Amino acid sequence: MQKYDNYIDGKFSQSKSGQIRKIMDPANGEQIATVPESTKEDMLIAIAAARKAFDHGPWRKTAALDRGKALFKIADGIRAKAKMLAEIETKNCGKPLPEAEYDVADAANCFEFYGGLATKIHGETMSVPANSISYVVREPVGVCGQIVPWNFPLLMASWKIAPALAAGNTVILKPSELTPMTALELAKIIHESGLPEGVVNIVSGPGVGAGEELAINKDVDKIAFTGGTATGRKIMTAATGNLKRVTLELGGKNPNIIFEDCDIEAAVDGALFGAFANQGEVCSAGSRLLVHKSVHKQIVDGMLAKISRIKLGHGLSEGTKMGPLISSDHREKVESYIKIGIDEGAKLICGGKRPTSADLSLGNFLEPTIFDHVKPTMRIAREEIFGPVLSVIPFSTEEEAIELANDSEYGLAAGIWTKNVVRAHRVSQALRAGIIWVNNYHPTFNEMPWGGYKQSGHGRELGLHGIEAYLEIKQININLDETPIGWY
Ligand code: NAD
């Protein structure tokens, strides 16, 4: 069993209070690690270390080329430990191993993408007004607090740390208290990469009592948060003390729209993958399946024919397609939504129960669940469930589909299934969401922006836009006329 430390100011240590948290495998309830249960006291030490490293350390003045090389080294470190990291991710989160392997590879790619971008942070110049020249430089924001959720622990940590470092910032990252293991492994990789002390600090602990200090503290210049919309609102409020920069990646209730002119088999696969990948514990999950009435039966029958292929099991077992939910509390929350759906009159057409086989009895497993004939006003069509529950909503016209899709407080992602290229563009433009997939669902690209409209977030991660969130813009004006102005 692993015993993890925090990583603060280039050193590994337990929390000041000595408190620890036991980390469990959600597939069987076995204890797999202990991590420090940090408090505000530990956060204050980490913030001071990051502040000192930013204000007085070498990192922000390190040449962009060398910052980039440091990020490549971290990418290499992740790749060298890829097998171990994927297995830990699977044991800690429950996700099937192939999904964890994909996440780990993508985390390494993310460090490489931003390593390359470090040397492409450019400004502008302008020679107006007359007799002066102005130029713009982009500078690091400073000390960045970063808080991530439990569903993609290493990937979310990488999406945050990599652009911050490329831009020359220092960071304090708090992983989710439920899945801190790969972030604490990343701390070891970062340490081995030789980054100056205090540049990256990784502190495990709860949100309330530890994480909130990153939003409140006036020595933190920016807070980057990924998690639930309700928590995001608290972060934004707490950040007003010093009006720190805030970026938020929040929840979703994403429409996946199947038009009558789609490739039916591809759409069925896309509907199932959109809803059940990572146990449905995905911010961009296609949890609202809007289906044209003329293909509704074909799509529903197609999904029911394939759903038994979603084999439940431990993520490390061969052939597992869906693991357990993250905790028993979370499974109960998801189950409460299944009850709400039944009570509201939606038609439960599969799943809805815990599996009965003995080998799954100790884990937080739940069958993939589909409700049909869901009304757009029902709570299961409006609220983020964050589990393997799909709501099928039939529609009659393209206009109705767009209206239903946009009728949400969220606006993170959407899918469109059609062979009509004109419709694909028309509907993509009409949807109020930050990511639109056409004949596809779920891929993310380090090179392209990620983030939400409406209450799904604030700002963008990834791509060229992602680094902007970690940069201040400074205008420098040089007077080329040495004559005194003679105003007085
Ligand atoms: P959560 O909001 O409960 O917790 C997220 C993180 O915030 C955790 O590290 C937690 O410890 C911390 N936290 C909790 N309360 C806090 C507080 N008051 N102050 C500071 N930190 C606090 O979310 P979760 O249950 O871990 O994750 C699920 C949510 O994350 C879902 O809503 C999902 O949609 C969202 N999510 C969004 C994206 C995205 O890119 N938009 C990606 C992944 C997950």
Side-chain angles (χ1 to χ4, degrees):
M1 196 186 51
Q2 274 280 9
K3 182 180 183 204
Y4 284 96
D5 287 318
N6 285 332
Y7 182 55
I8 300 177
D9 207 11
K11 294 163 210 70
F12 293 91
S13 59
Q14 287 293 300
S15 66
K16 282 282 165 198
S17 70
Q19 279 184 59
I20 55 158
R21 175 183 286 259
K22 294 177 182 169
I23 301 297
M24 307 298 182
D25 180 336
N28 53 27
E30 280 172 18
Q31 187 182 337
I32 49 176
T34 66
V35 296
E37 180 75 338
S38 308
T39 64
K40 177 177 170 180
E41 194 186 1
D42 303 292
M43 277 297 169
L44 290 175
I45 297 169
I47 292 168
R51 186 79 259 166
K52 185 178 70 171
F54 185 76
D55 292 341
H56 307 295
W59 182 245
R60 90 170 132 141
K61 297 193 186 113
T62 298
L65 186 65
D66 294 326
R67 288 205 307 275
K69 283 180 184 167
L71 269 73
F72 292 145
K73 229 170 163 181
I74 297 171
D76 290 345
I78 293 174
R79 287 217 182 85
K81 293 185 175 176
K83 186 171 182 299
M84 180 262 283
L85 289 167
E87 284 174 6
I88 292 178
E89 200 77 307
T90 286
K91 276 200 208 162
N92 196 174
C93 305
K95 64 178 71 195
L97 185 63
E99 293 185 26
E101 286 168 343
Y102 180 90
D103 293 353
V104 172
D106 218 29
N109 294 341
C110 181
F111 275 96
E112 258 164 15
F113 174 74
Y114 281 109
L117 201 58
T119 51
K120 283 119 200 134
I121 301 170
H122 292 174
E124 307 132 40
T125 59
M126 206 172 198
S127 53
V128 284
N131 291 328
S132 80
I133 181 162
S134 278
Y135 64 99
V136 168
V137 290
R138 290 189 157 78
E139 297 184 339
V141 169
V143 174
C144 302
Q146 306 184 317
I147 300 177
V148 292
W150 46 259
N151 57 345
F152 293 93
L154 182 67
L155 196 58
M156 295 294 104
S158 304
W159 285 18
K160 296 238 173 321
I161 294 175
L165 292 184
N169 297 281
T170 62
V171 310
I172 309 108
L173 177 106
K174 192 201 81 64
S176 165
E177 59 274 36
L178 299 176
T179 58
M181 292 172 68
T182 47
L184 294 170
E185 289 290 347
L186 180 63
K188 297 179 198 167
I189 293 169
I190 288 173
H191 184 70
E192 285 156 16
S193 80
L195 228 56
E197 58 193 29
V199 171
V200 172
N201 304 274
I202 301 186
V203 183
S204 76
V208 176
E212 60 190 354
E213 187 57 30
L214 293 174
I216 295 166
N217 197 288
K218 293 190 180 170
D219 274 336
V220 178
D221 300 301
K222 177 201 163 64
I223 180 91
F225 172 79
T226 300
T229 293
T231 317
R233 204 167 277 122
K234 287 184 198 159
I235 297 277
M236 202 162 188
T237 308
T240 56
N242 65 337
L243 295 177
K244 58 174 62 70
R245 277 84 186 108
V246 180
T247 42
L248 304 171
E249 298 286 348
L250 307 175
K253 188 74 189 178
N254 310 285
N256 195 4
I257 312 172
I258 300 183
F259 287 104
E260 65 281 16
D261 50 14
C262 69
D263 177 317
I264 295 285
E265 197 183 343
V268 165
D269 280 359
L272 291 172
F273 188 65
F276 300 122
N278 206 57
Q279 301 79 239
E281 295 168 326
V282 187
C283 49
S284 54
S287 54
R288 286 191 291 151
L289 191 70
L290 310 183
V291 186
H292 191 270
K293 281 186 175 148
S294 65
V295 291
H296 172 249
K297 184 169 171 2
Q298 273 173 289
I299 295 291
V300 168
D301 289 350
M303 289 196 296
L304 291 179
K306 281 192 168 170
I307 199 121
S308 59
R309 297 191 197 171
I310 303 180
K311 185 174 170 250
L312 294 178
H314 194 293
L316 293 180
S317 303
E318 187 71 30
T320 291
K321 294 288 181 193
M322 200 165 104
L325 300 193
I326 189 64
S327 66
S328 56
D329 283 355
H330 187 57
R331 178 170 63 174
E332 277 172 27
K333 181 190 150 196
V334 176
E335 286 173 327
S336 76
Y337 271 106
I338 293 171
K339 182 170 180 316
I340 287 167
I342 293 167
D343 293 347
E344 283 180 320
K347 191 173 167 203
L348 181 68
I349 57 171
C350 72
K353 306 182 301 299
R354 300 178 182 191
T356 48
S357 61
D359 58 326
L360 303 181
S361 63
L362 296 176
N364 310 313
F365 291 94
L366 191 62
E367 292 175 345
T369 299
I370 304 179
F371 280 103
D372 196 6
H373 297 291
V374 175
K375 297 209 165 59
T377 49
M378 292 178 178
R379 283 183 65 193
I380 57 166
R382 307 201 70 78
E383 297 176 21
E384 185 184 46
I385 299 174
F386 216 58
V389 181
L390 177 63
S391 294
V392 180
I393 306 172
F395 68 85
S396 303
T397 64
E398 184 180 302
E399 294 69 32
E400 187 191 358
I402 293 167
E403 204 171 308
L404 287 170
N406 285 336
D407 180 19
S408 171
E409 68 192 40
Y410 297 110
L412 183 56
I416 300 169
W417 298 86
T418 177
K419 286 194 220 160
N420 178 336
V421 70
V422 176
R423 165 176 270 171
H425 285 287
R426 187 171 57 228
V427 177
S428 295
Q429 295 199 5
L431 294 176
R432 303 257 305 142
I435 301 113
I436 312 289
W437 290 294
V438 177
N439 298 330
N440 213 352
Y441 209 91
H442 270 329
T444 61
F445 306 100
N446 289 307
E447 301 79 6
M448 300 299 277
W450 177 269
Y453 281 33
K454 300 191 260 180
Q455 293 186 45
S456 286
H458 205 285
R460 292 292 178 273
E461 290 192 308
L462 297 184
L464 304 181
H465 297 270
I467 203 158
E468 293 295 336
Y470 289 96
L471 291 164
E472 290 282 15
I473 293 174
K474 179 186 279 176
Q475 185 222 151
I476 298 173
N477 173 261
I478 314 282
N479 188 3
L480 301 179
D481 180 354
E482 292 182 68
T483 319
I485 61 167
W487 190 273
Y488 300 109

